[in-house]
Amino acid sequence: MAERRKFKKRYCRYCEQKVEFIDYKDLNLLKFSLSERFKIMPRRLTGNCKRHQEMVTVAIKRARQTALIPYVVDRKNVVDNPFELIR
Amino acid sequence: MNHYETLFVVKPTLTDEETKAQIEKNIAIITDNGGEIVAIDDMGMRKLAYPVEKNERGYYTVVYHKAPATLIAELERQMRYNEDVLKFMTVKYAKKKEIAQYDKMVAAVVKKNDAPAAQPKQEEAPAPEATEPAAEPAKEEA
Ligand SMILES: [Zn+2]
């Protein structure tokens, strides 16, 4: 619920910025679509359009594979300062 | 020839020269097998998002290159054997739009390499970290 409120006004931020392609190394672009625990946020909460959601999904998975962002953040697997990774 | 981008992470335990040698070695694999280097982005030492082979940090390099498809298999085979390479990934840019983006990224890298003066500021800024807490405890019980 807390997350829902954050995204009340729904529109695609990538369309707004006229993003044509999402580079997996550009963490600032991925940030919009990640939850606090680095899960991929669903489209119904972020308001991303389908086209951009598909792009960002691929990009996030690539970023995870290259250790740019974590796969999971939980009690066993704590990131001391998760926002240090996304500057 | 296709457009590719290869990212690899070198172990943090190596000395500067050894790291450099590793990077040059991987670049040599590309050039020796008929590839053509377009640009090299030296991202430097970064913290890994999760430990890889018990390493917390790694030295990131991104190589933009044009190469025949067979090269990638060879490159990945050699990197897989190389114990000093923690992670690697190759991305192919094939569609028109992707290639346009590729050219844009290459241009950005070239620009960055041309202006080394802007480089050192990355480390100091003590990262704004105030944004995180607040919402966290509420969903803890899930
Ligand atoms: Zn969109």
Side-chain angles (χ1 to χ4, degrees):
Chain A
M1 279 317 244
E3 281 168 346
R4 179 158 230 156
R5 230 171 290 130
K6 203 161 79 186
F7 290 98
K8 199 173 182 188
K9 200 175 161 197
R10 286 190 268 141
Y11 51 87
C12 178
R13 299 196 196 205
Y14 300 101
C15 283
E16 193 187 35
Q17 292 184 17
K18 296 209 165 61
V19 177
E20 275 302 316
F21 184 92
I22 300 174
D23 180 20
Y24 67 93
K25 301 188 291 307
D26 190 350
L27 302 184
N28 283 322
L29 274 184
L30 304 183
K31 195 158 64 173
F32 302 136
S33 301
L34 289 168
S35 77
E36 286 151 355
R37 289 173 178 255
F38 285 87
K39 291 180 174 187
I40 301 176
M41 293 287 282
R43 217 147 62 82
R44 64 170 190 276
L45 298 186
T46 58
N48 288 353
C49 70
K50 184 157 184 281
R51 191 170 80 97
H52 281 117
Q53 181 72 7
E54 283 168 2
M55 278 192 221
V56 85
T57 303
V58 172
I60 288 172
K61 288 174 180 177
R62 282 176 180 166
R64 281 176 180 166
Q65 212 172 336
T66 47
L68 293 171
I69 58 173
Y71 279 98
V72 282
V73 178
D74 54 25
R75 264 160 286 173
K76 280 180 208 148
N77 203 334
V78 195
V79 173
D80 327 315
N81 181 9
F83 281 82
E84 175 195 322
L85 298 164
I86 300 182
R87 271 193 279 212
Chain B
M1 298 282 260
N2 299 312
H3 294 69
Y4 291 106
E5 177 211 314
T6 300
L7 175 146
F8 58 88
V9 185
V10 180
K11 259 190 187 172
T13 47
L14 306 180
T15 65
D16 285 358
E17 293 93 67
E18 283 171 327
T19 309
K20 225 181 213 170
Q22 278 299 330
I23 293 167
E24 267 157 25
K25 187 174 147 193
N26 288 317
I27 291 168
I29 298 172
I30 296 171
T31 48
D32 291 350
N33 289 283
E36 182 191 319
I37 306 288
V38 180
I40 295 167
D41 184 6
D42 187 55
M43 289 170 78
M45 194 67 87
R46 284 178 65 106
K47 193 172 177 299
L48 299 173
Y50 48 87
V52 180
E53 294 169 25
K54 296 185 181 164
N55 293 295
E56 295 287 341
R57 289 144 64 78
Y59 197 96
Y60 279 76
T61 311
V62 184
V63 182
Y64 296 88
H65 57 102
K66 289 182 194 164
T70 48
L71 183 148
I72 303 304
E74 173 64 11
L75 180 66
E76 300 214 326
R77 188 183 69 84
Q78 295 215 24
M79 288 213 210
R80 200 165 283 132
Y81 281 128
N82 189 340
E83 287 188 352
D84 292 325
V85 175
L86 296 176
K87 285 264 177 195
F88 60 85
M89 185 167 74
T90 302
V91 178
K92 179 178 169 184
Y93 292 80
K95 295 186 199 127
K96 251 191 199 148
K97 266 187 188 164
E98 292 171 345
I99 290 175
Q101 173 70 21
Y102 185 88
D103 293 336
K104 223 188 269 173
M105 289 194 292
V106 167
V109 169
V110 169
K111 204 172 146 196
K112 186 182 131 194
N113 289 347
D114 282 348
Q119 204 79 331
K121 73 170 180 197
Q122 223 184 25
E123 276 296 281
E124 76 218 44
E129 52 191 78
T131 29
E132 197 227 355
E136 194 69 26
K139 49 185 215 171
E140 201 63 21
E141 86 278 23

